[in-house]
Structure formats: structure tokens, C-alpha cells
Amino acid sequence: MDNIKFVTDRDPGEREFHQAVTEVIESVKPVLDQNPLYRTESIMERIVEPERVILFRVPWVDDQKNVCVNRGFRIEMNSAIGPYKGGLRFHPSVNLSILKFLAFEQVFKNALTSLPMGGGKGGSDFDPKGKSDMEVMRFCQSFMAELFRHIGPNTDVPAGDIGVGAREIGYLFGMYKRLANEFTGVLTGKSLNWGGSLIRPEATGYGSVYFAAEMLATRNETLEGKRCLVSGSGNVAQFTMEKLLDLGATPISFSDSSGYIYDEAGLNREKLDHIMYLKNVQRGRVAEYVESYPDAVYTPLDQSLDHNPLWKEHKADCAFPSATQNEINGLDAQHLIDNGIYVVTEGANMPTVHAGVQIFLENKILYGPGKASNAGGVSVSGLEMSQNSMRLNWPKEEVDNRLKHIMKSIHSMCMETAEQYGEPGNYVVGANIAGFVKVVDAMIDQGVV
Ligand code: NDP
């Protein structure tokens, strides 16, 4: 199988999944040509098929005593190099296509970390926004009442993603512990005082900035003084902005699904603390930021536009898309280039559509695709699993140093692989091939299973 038709015929309508598979197929073609065994072993046919898909009903009762029903999913995509590992997403847009794309990406991302983790993803179309803590708890308990029989510290270890933060992980873990009658590292992203790892909340954002710094170093540059557009205002965006500030760069924007803030003067520590309080404690909207900082400008999202003004209206050096998939279309990508942006580091998973990726590659900017640049989160999740197994807690500096080391090694692996395949500077090819080869070689070693 060398083309996407096999997948589109079999799984029509799974648009995001087709998009993720297309990108990998395009990158790994030279590897398939060089290794006939991969074709005789039907590696592509096997790797696009999840090992297991679990789909279940999640009934729960809201505060008004209405019985509500959501859909729960877990995609156990590939366990060739370790237990399934990947986040849970709670968002009304969640469907099979989105979770299959995320699980597919996760397989290669986890391979790049060099830690022993297979790939998975899961979640629900439940929307935690506007729900009370008790509603979120009842939902999480019902979700886990089914999921618990499919996961375990050596089988499948979920974590957070969009809509699943420390609060949700707490409720999910509490229910798992009660049902399984064991205290194990079955989820990562736990709170510190009951098995979590230092630096886990920060890891995806910090890792993405470390990756950008590595890319800049190839041009003898640093992040110092760079103006950076950031999208999103959740976990990844917040800690991306924190690390940018630490390294002397200036974040000038952030967003949510209703609109975005542009702060010409740039963020500082005090403004970031305010955003964190607004989002994490008050669970508010980014629009409220201008009440405290009236010089900043809020632009509501306009669905009728064919582009996002966040990527069009502002000159900058770097962009860190850290909200969600497909938030940069072809036009947006061109606008970024026109505005002088020459570093794009994806904190989100697949935030750039295929046409946008091509524009970045044609313009030879420093473009870090999500499966490489946002691997810091799952890397520290892997380190959380190690600490749980050893019943030890590493100090902050140790985890951060390991994270830096992993991001550095992912960067060099991508760079060297891209060079080896005649595409110097193409981190997309580098990440896809390096992750792919590691997983498929393990699959072949383990026979047809
Ligand atoms: P959060 O839920 O903490 O934050 C998500 C942010 O993105 C919010 O600001 C949210 O706005 C915004 N957002 C969500 N959906 C949309 C949408 N359809 N349009 C515009 N904005 C949207 O999630 P995370 O920060 O954890 O995740 C962000 C991205 O990073 C995702 O792509 C995720 O898969 C990826 N990622 C996360 C990792 C992690 O460790 N958490 C690891 C690797 C990747 P609103 O509040 O309005 O919903």
C-alpha cells in the first residue's frame, strides 16, 4: 500500500485521519523503496489499522438531574515498542477520525522520545466547559467505570489532552483506584502529592520552546529578543509562553476558541500570571484580559473569514500554534511567511493543514512538526511512569534536564534522518522516517500479530 486510497476506501469520512496518514505515506516512500521487506510484510496496511478500538456509552446525571449520554473512546493504535500511551481529550468535536489521527501521530511521536511507549489516544465528546465540578466528577467516574477494564500500568496508560487537566485526571484516577483496588501509575499527569512528576504540566510547552531553540541554533541564533505569536491559552500555550519569557523572547498573542488577544507591548511574568489565574482558576475567557490590560486588543473569531487574522495582521519572528488541529490553513501559512515569520514550532497536534506545511517547506523556514516538537509532554509522562514504577520522585532539575536532553536528541534524530534521505532541514521527513523505522522494525521482529 503506497497510497492513501486503501485508507479512504476503508474508512470514508475520516478526514483528519486521512490527513495524518497522507503525510506519513508521502514521507516514508523512499524507505519503503529501499526495504522491500516492509512491503512484503504489509507494514503500511498493518500500521494504519488500530490494534483495538473501544467505543462505549457514558451515561451521567447533570446538576438539574437530567440523564445525559456521551460517547467514550479509546484507540489502542500500536504496542510494538511499549504499552499504549497517549492522552484523553474531552471536547464536543471529538469523533473517531480525530482520535485515530491523534493516536496515529502518537505512535511515531512516542518512538522519537526513545522511551518504551506505544501509541494510543482516547476521550469523549463531553464538553467540560460550563460544567460544575460535581458534573465533571460524575462524568469522569462514569467514563472510567468502562475504561478501567481496558487500561493498566503495563497495558495502556492515558494522560490529559484538550479538556483534561489535573482536575479530570484526579477524578479519573480516584475511580480507577476504587474499581481496580490498586494504586499504580495507570494515568500520567497526576498531581504531585499522589504520584505526579515535577515538570509534567510544563513539559509540552517547555519542550516545544526547547525544540525551537535547537532549530535556531542550527542558524547560530537564539530566542533572545524574538517576538512570538502563540495560539491557545491552555496547558501547552501557558507553559510555552513561560519558557519563552525565561529565554528572553516576547510572546505577543494568545487565544481561545472564541477569539484572540494581541498585546503589542508583549507579555511579562505578571501578565502571564494573570492569564493563568483567569484560565485555570476562574475558568474564564481570554476576552476578559483586556479588562486588566486595556492596551491589548481582543479580536473575536469570525467564522465567515477564509483566514485567521491572528496569523495575518502581526509581524513577528516565530509562531507557536498551541490550540488545536488545522488552525493554520494554506492562506494563514502564506500570511505568516509574508509577515517575516521564519520559525514555526507546533505545540498542538497537526495544527497546520497539508497545503500550509508545503508552504513552510518551500520557504525553507525552521518548521518543527508537532510529532517532534510537542513530544516533551509524553516524554515526561514516560518519566512519570518510571518514577511510579520505582516509587521515587526525581527533583525538578533532574526532570527538566532529562526533558531538555530528550528534545535535543529528537531534534538531532530528525535532522540527521532528513539529511540521510536527501532533505536537509526538512523536519517533517526526518520525524516521520525516524519514528516509522523504529516502530516497523519492532513490528517485524514480533511477527504477524
Ligand atoms: P487545553 O484544553 O489546556 O487548551 C486548549 C486550548 O486550545 C484552549 O485555549 C482552547 O480554547 C483552545 N482550543 C481548543 N479547541 C479549539 C478550537 N476548535 N478552536 C480554537 N481554539 C481551540 O489543551 P492543551 O493545551 O493540553 O492542548 C492544546 C494542543 O496541544 C492540542 O492540540 C493537544 O493535542 C496538543 N498537545 C497537548 C499535550 C499535553 O501535554 N497537554 C501534549 C502534546 C500535544 P477554549 O478554552 O475556548 O476551548
Side-chain angles (χ1 to χ4, degrees), residues 89 91 102 109 121 129 160-164 200 204 232-237 255-258 279 285 322-325 347-349 374 377:
R89 176 176 291 192
H91 192 272
L102 288 164
K109 180 191 311 195
K121 201 83 190 187
K129 240 183 274 156
D161 189 75
I162 291 179
V164 178
R200 175 59 189 93
T204 309
S233 52
N235 171 272
V236 179
S255 67
D256 60 21
S257 50
S258 312
K279 295 301 291 184
R285 310 300 295 156
S322 308
T324 193
Q325 67 274 358
N349 284 308
N374 72 30

Side-chain angles (χ1 to χ4, degrees), residues 421-435:
Y421 283 88
E423 300 263 359
N426 186 333
Y427 292 91
V428 177
V429 161
N432 283 334
I433 294 182

Side-chain angles (χ1 to χ4, degrees), residues 108-359:
F108 306 106
K109 180 191 311 195
N110 293 3
L112 291 173
T113 68
S114 60
L115 299 172
M117 299 181 289
K121 201 83 190 187
S124 173
D125 57 358
F126 172 75
D127 187 358
K129 240 183 274 156
K131 305 285 190 305
S132 70
D133 285 353
M134 286 301 102
E135 289 177 319
V136 171
M137 183 181 79
R138 287 194 291 275
F139 172 80
C140 288
Q141 291 178 338
S142 178
F143 184 84
M144 189 51 87
E146 175 56 37
L147 188 68
F148 95 99
R149 67 189 92 246
H150 307 287
I151 61 175
N154 295 310
T155 314
D156 183 351
V157 185
D161 189 75
I162 291 179
V164 178
R167 172 182 63 170
E168 289 76 15
I169 293 289
Y171 295 148
L172 291 164
F173 185 81
M175 193 63 178
Y176 178 86
K177 185 166 61 71
R178 184 172 184 194
L179 292 167
N181 193 26
E182 58 178 30
F183 195 115
T184 52
V186 67
L187 291 163
T188 57
K190 300 184 290 296
S191 287
L192 266 185
N193 52 349
W194 46 272
S197 173
L198 284 158
I199 303 288
R200 175 59 189 93
E202 294 88 345
T204 309
Y206 280 17
S208 154
V209 177
Y210 294 150
F211 196 88
E214 288 296 320
M215 292 200 296
L216 277 163
T218 64
R219 297 188 183 178
N220 297 319
E221 287 188 51
T222 69
L223 278 160
E224 178 95 44
K226 301 276 187 297
R227 287 175 68 81
C228 304
L229 293 172
V230 177
S231 67
S233 52
N235 171 272
V236 179
Q238 290 175 18
F239 290 107
T240 294
M241 296 192 280
E242 180 167 284
K243 189 47 76 179
L244 286 173
L245 288 173
D246 287 351
L247 298 186
T250 309
I252 52 176
S253 72
F254 53 95
S255 67
D256 60 21
S257 50
S258 312
Y260 80 92
I261 294 285
Y262 176 68
D263 189 335
E264 172 79 31
L267 298 194
N268 53 28
R269 184 70 241 187
E270 179 209 296
K271 291 176 178 177
L272 180 57
D273 286 344
H274 179 73
I275 297 166
M276 288 179 167
Y277 182 75
L278 179 68
K279 295 301 291 184
N280 308 344
V281 181
Q282 296 187 317
R283 298 194 184 269
R285 310 300 295 156
V286 300
E288 295 162 48
Y289 178 85
V290 293
E291 291 163 19
S292 304
Y293 300 100
D295 289 344
V297 179
Y298 174 68
T299 307
L301 185 76
D302 181 352
Q303 298 276 16
S304 67
L305 292 178
D306 58 0
H307 65 278
N308 184 342
L310 165 60
W311 309 127
K312 184 178 182 202
E313 304 297 339
H314 314 290
K315 295 230 175 298
D317 304 296
C318 313
F320 289 83
S322 308
T324 193
Q325 67 274 358
N326 294 336
E327 51 171 317
I328 298 181
N329 64 24
L331 259 180
D332 296 323
Q334 190 55 52
H335 291 149
L336 286 170
I337 301 286
D338 296 344
N339 277 325
I341 279 135
Y342 66 103
V343 182
V344 175
T345 310
E346 296 183 341
N349 284 308
M350 206 170 72
T352 313
V353 304
H354 190 253
V357 173
Q358 297 315 310
I359 290 171

